[in-house]
Amino acid sequence: MTDLFRINQMSIAFGGLKAVDEFNLTLNAGDLHGLIGPNGAGKTTVFNLITGVYQPDAGEVRLQGKRIHGRRPHRITHAGVARTFQNIRLFGDLTVLDNVRIGCHVRAHHSMLQAMLRTPAHVFGERQMRTQAMDLLDIFNLADRAKTYARNLPYGDQRRLEIARALATGPKVLLLDEPAAGMNPGEKGALADLIRDIRERFDLAILLIEHDMGLVMKICRDITVLDHGQIIACGKPESIQNDPKVIEAYLGEEEPAPAEQAGDRVTEG
């Protein structure tokens, strides 16, 4: 049986510095996998390699057994990999609804000519995409703000809108880059529930970068830890938070504290 998503020995260097070194990962539908590490560990570089922003120097990325590395970013999105960004990248001058409809256009079947002529196929397709977009906004409790400009949404709602737009592309794998950044504790709790619901409702794999260790330990089934571009640990949350290498990477201690205390300190970070 072919894995849904697999990365084998992926590496990239910038100016002789190995930013990511022989990175491996396997995901299947329903997986919720955390990717953590100190600042500068290479986490977002991994996302950029997966989505075609960077091309790997070595290794491969496969989705349902098919090679996707080397493709342009829009081709990778069409193949079934979607992402959000650490710094929100919404279309601020478009409405909430139109932001999500743009995501839906990845799966549009009508041509540019049909759109220009406003053929029945184009009109039907646009109607379907509007319905799909509104359904997503309803899931994210944003339907009542469909006509609001995205730039006027509160910060937490902008974060959720970006996830909704990513889901509108119909992904098999969803990459979330710091979705809880800037959120208050109440918003983070709601986000955790939302991410779980997304995984179950859409039957996809989620790869999550997040600095809030409490959130990661709470919702992720498995966690990979990067430091200086290399995987230093991979496993269940309980083993990760007590791993001496992980504790040292975060706290810079050559002699880690006892497991329980150190694990608590990593979780609180």
Side-chain angles (χ1 to χ4, degrees), residues 135-158:
D135 288 344
L136 281 168
L137 291 179
D138 188 55
I139 291 170
F140 283 79
N141 295 319
L142 292 171
D144 60 339
R145 298 187 179 120
K147 295 182 180 180
T148 302
Y149 287 115
R151 66 171 182 268
N152 294 331
L153 288 179
Y155 183 82
D157 288 347
Q158 289 188 25

Short mmCIF file of all heavy atoms in Angstrom, two decimals, residues 135-158:
data_model
loop_
_atom_site.label_atom_id
_atom_site.label_comp_id
_atom_site.label_asym_id
_atom_site.label_seq_id
_atom_site.Cartn_x
_atom_site.Cartn_y
_atom_site.Cartn_z
N ASP A 135 -20.02 27.13 2.26
CA ASP A 135 -20.01 25.98 3.17
C ASP A 135 -18.77 26.00 4.06
O ASP A 135 -18.84 25.71 5.26
CB ASP A 135 -20.06 24.68 2.37
CG ASP A 135 -21.42 24.41 1.74
OD1 ASP A 135 -22.40 25.06 2.16
OD2 ASP A 135 -21.50 23.57 0.83
N LEU A 136 -17.62 26.33 3.46
CA LEU A 136 -16.38 26.41 4.24
C LEU A 136 -16.44 27.54 5.25
O LEU A 136 -16.04 27.38 6.41
CB LEU A 136 -15.18 26.60 3.31
CG LEU A 136 -14.67 25.35 2.60
CD1 LEU A 136 -13.67 25.72 1.50
CD2 LEU A 136 -14.01 24.41 3.60
N LEU A 137 -16.97 28.68 4.83
CA LEU A 137 -17.08 29.81 5.76
C LEU A 137 -18.01 29.47 6.92
O LEU A 137 -17.78 29.91 8.06
CB LEU A 137 -17.59 31.05 5.02
CG LEU A 137 -16.62 31.67 4.02
CD1 LEU A 137 -17.27 32.88 3.34
CD2 LEU A 137 -15.32 32.08 4.70
N ASP A 138 -19.02 28.67 6.65
CA ASP A 138 -19.93 28.25 7.72
C ASP A 138 -19.20 27.37 8.72
O ASP A 138 -19.37 27.52 9.94
CB ASP A 138 -21.12 27.51 7.11
CG ASP A 138 -22.20 27.22 8.13
OD1 ASP A 138 -22.66 28.16 8.79
OD2 ASP A 138 -22.58 26.05 8.28
N ILE A 139 -18.36 26.46 8.24
CA ILE A 139 -17.58 25.60 9.12
C ILE A 139 -16.66 26.43 10.02
O ILE A 139 -16.47 26.12 11.19
CB ILE A 139 -16.74 24.60 8.28
CG1 ILE A 139 -17.65 23.58 7.60
CG2 ILE A 139 -15.70 23.88 9.15
CD1 ILE A 139 -16.94 22.71 6.58
N PHE A 140 -16.13 27.53 9.45
CA PHE A 140 -15.18 28.37 10.18
C PHE A 140 -15.85 29.53 10.91
O PHE A 140 -15.18 30.45 11.37
CB PHE A 140 -14.11 28.90 9.23
CG PHE A 140 -13.07 27.88 8.86
CD1 PHE A 140 -13.33 26.91 7.91
CD2 PHE A 140 -11.83 27.88 9.47
CE1 PHE A 140 -12.38 25.95 7.57
CE2 PHE A 140 -10.87 26.94 9.14
CZ PHE A 140 -11.14 25.98 8.19
N ASN A 141 -17.19 29.50 10.96
CA ASN A 141 -17.97 30.56 11.62
C ASN A 141 -17.67 31.94 11.05
O ASN A 141 -17.58 32.94 11.78
CB ASN A 141 -17.71 30.56 13.14
CG ASN A 141 -18.20 29.30 13.81
OD1 ASN A 141 -19.28 28.79 13.49
ND2 ASN A 141 -17.41 28.75 14.72
N LEU A 142 -17.50 31.99 9.73
CA LEU A 142 -17.21 33.25 9.06
C LEU A 142 -18.28 33.61 8.02
O LEU A 142 -18.14 34.61 7.31
CB LEU A 142 -15.84 33.19 8.36
CG LEU A 142 -14.62 33.10 9.26
CD1 LEU A 142 -13.37 32.81 8.43
CD2 LEU A 142 -14.44 34.41 10.05
N ALA A 143 -19.34 32.82 7.92
CA ALA A 143 -20.36 33.04 6.89
C ALA A 143 -21.02 34.41 7.02
O ALA A 143 -21.34 35.05 6.02
CB ALA A 143 -21.41 31.93 6.95
N ASP A 144 -21.19 34.88 8.27
CA ASP A 144 -21.85 36.18 8.45
C ASP A 144 -20.94 37.34 8.09
O ASP A 144 -21.39 38.49 8.05
CB ASP A 144 -22.33 36.33 9.90
CG ASP A 144 -21.21 36.25 10.92
OD1 ASP A 144 -20.14 35.70 10.57
OD2 ASP A 144 -21.39 36.73 12.05
N ARG A 145 -19.67 37.05 7.80
CA ARG A 145 -18.73 38.10 7.39
C ARG A 145 -18.29 37.93 5.94
O ARG A 145 -17.26 38.45 5.53
CB ARG A 145 -17.48 38.07 8.30
CG ARG A 145 -17.82 38.33 9.77
CD ARG A 145 -16.57 38.45 10.59
NE ARG A 145 -16.92 38.72 11.98
CZ ARG A 145 -16.60 37.94 12.99
NH1 ARG A 145 -15.93 36.83 12.77
NH2 ARG A 145 -16.93 38.26 14.21
N ALA A 146 -19.08 37.20 5.17
CA ALA A 146 -18.69 36.87 3.79
C ALA A 146 -18.41 38.11 2.95
O ALA A 146 -17.53 38.11 2.09
CB ALA A 146 -19.79 36.04 3.13
N LYS A 147 -19.14 39.21 3.19
CA LYS A 147 -18.98 40.41 2.38
C LYS A 147 -18.00 41.42 3.00
O LYS A 147 -17.78 42.50 2.45
CB LYS A 147 -20.34 41.08 2.16
CG LYS A 147 -21.30 40.22 1.34
CD LYS A 147 -22.62 40.93 1.11
CE LYS A 147 -23.57 40.07 0.28
NZ LYS A 147 -24.87 40.76 0.05
N THR A 148 -17.39 41.05 4.13
CA THR A 148 -16.42 41.92 4.79
C THR A 148 -15.08 41.83 4.07
O THR A 148 -14.68 40.76 3.63
CB THR A 148 -16.24 41.50 6.26
OG1 THR A 148 -17.50 41.55 6.92
CG2 THR A 148 -15.24 42.39 6.98
N TYR A 149 -14.39 42.95 3.95
CA TYR A 149 -13.04 42.90 3.38
C TYR A 149 -12.13 42.15 4.36
O TYR A 149 -12.18 42.36 5.58
CB TYR A 149 -12.50 44.30 3.13
CG TYR A 149 -13.14 44.99 1.94
CD1 TYR A 149 -13.92 46.12 2.11
CD2 TYR A 149 -12.97 44.47 0.65
CE1 TYR A 149 -14.53 46.74 1.02
CE2 TYR A 149 -13.56 45.09 -0.44
CZ TYR A 149 -14.35 46.22 -0.25
OH TYR A 149 -14.94 46.81 -1.33
N ALA A 150 -11.27 41.29 3.80
CA ALA A 150 -10.42 40.44 4.64
C ALA A 150 -9.55 41.26 5.59
O ALA A 150 -9.29 40.85 6.71
CB ALA A 150 -9.55 39.55 3.76
N ARG A 151 -9.10 42.44 5.14
CA ARG A 151 -8.22 43.26 5.98
C ARG A 151 -8.93 43.78 7.23
O ARG A 151 -8.27 44.19 8.20
CB ARG A 151 -7.67 44.45 5.18
CG ARG A 151 -8.72 45.46 4.76
CD ARG A 151 -8.08 46.72 4.17
NE ARG A 151 -9.11 47.70 3.81
CZ ARG A 151 -9.66 47.78 2.62
NH1 ARG A 151 -9.30 46.93 1.66
NH2 ARG A 151 -10.58 48.70 2.37
N ASN A 152 -10.27 43.78 7.22
CA ASN A 152 -11.03 44.30 8.36
C ASN A 152 -11.38 43.23 9.38
O ASN A 152 -12.02 43.55 10.40
CB ASN A 152 -12.30 44.98 7.85
CG ASN A 152 -12.01 46.22 7.03
OD1 ASN A 152 -10.99 46.88 7.24
ND2 ASN A 152 -12.89 46.54 6.09
N LEU A 153 -11.00 42.00 9.14
CA LEU A 153 -11.27 40.94 10.10
C LEU A 153 -10.32 41.04 11.29
O LEU A 153 -9.16 41.44 11.15
CB LEU A 153 -11.08 39.56 9.46
CG LEU A 153 -12.10 39.06 8.44
CD1 LEU A 153 -11.68 37.70 7.94
CD2 LEU A 153 -13.50 39.00 9.05
N PRO A 154 -10.78 40.64 12.49
CA PRO A 154 -9.84 40.49 13.61
C PRO A 154 -8.76 39.48 13.27
O PRO A 154 -8.94 38.61 12.41
CB PRO A 154 -10.74 39.97 14.75
CG PRO A 154 -12.12 40.35 14.35
CD PRO A 154 -12.17 40.31 12.86
N TYR A 155 -7.63 39.59 13.96
CA TYR A 155 -6.46 38.77 13.63
C TYR A 155 -6.77 37.28 13.65
O TYR A 155 -6.41 36.54 12.71
CB TYR A 155 -5.33 39.09 14.61
CG TYR A 155 -4.05 38.35 14.30
CD1 TYR A 155 -3.17 38.84 13.35
CD2 TYR A 155 -3.72 37.18 14.97
CE1 TYR A 155 -1.99 38.17 13.06
CE2 TYR A 155 -2.55 36.51 14.69
CZ TYR A 155 -1.69 37.01 13.73
OH TYR A 155 -0.53 36.34 13.46
N GLY A 156 -7.45 36.82 14.69
CA GLY A 156 -7.76 35.40 14.79
C GLY A 156 -8.63 34.91 13.65
O GLY A 156 -8.45 33.80 13.13
N ASP A 157 -9.57 35.76 13.21
CA ASP A 157 -10.44 35.40 12.08
C ASP A 157 -9.64 35.36 10.78
O ASP A 157 -9.93 34.54 9.89
CB ASP A 157 -11.60 36.38 11.96
CG ASP A 157 -12.63 36.21 13.06
OD1 ASP A 157 -12.59 35.17 13.76
OD2 ASP A 157 -13.49 37.10 13.24
N GLN A 158 -8.66 36.23 10.65
CA GLN A 158 -7.81 36.19 9.46
C GLN A 158 -7.04 34.87 9.39
O GLN A 158 -6.89 34.29 8.31
CB GLN A 158 -6.83 37.36 9.46
CG GLN A 158 -7.48 38.71 9.20
CD GLN A 158 -6.47 39.82 9.02
OE1 GLN A 158 -5.32 39.58 8.64
NE2 GLN A 158 -6.88 41.05 9.29
#
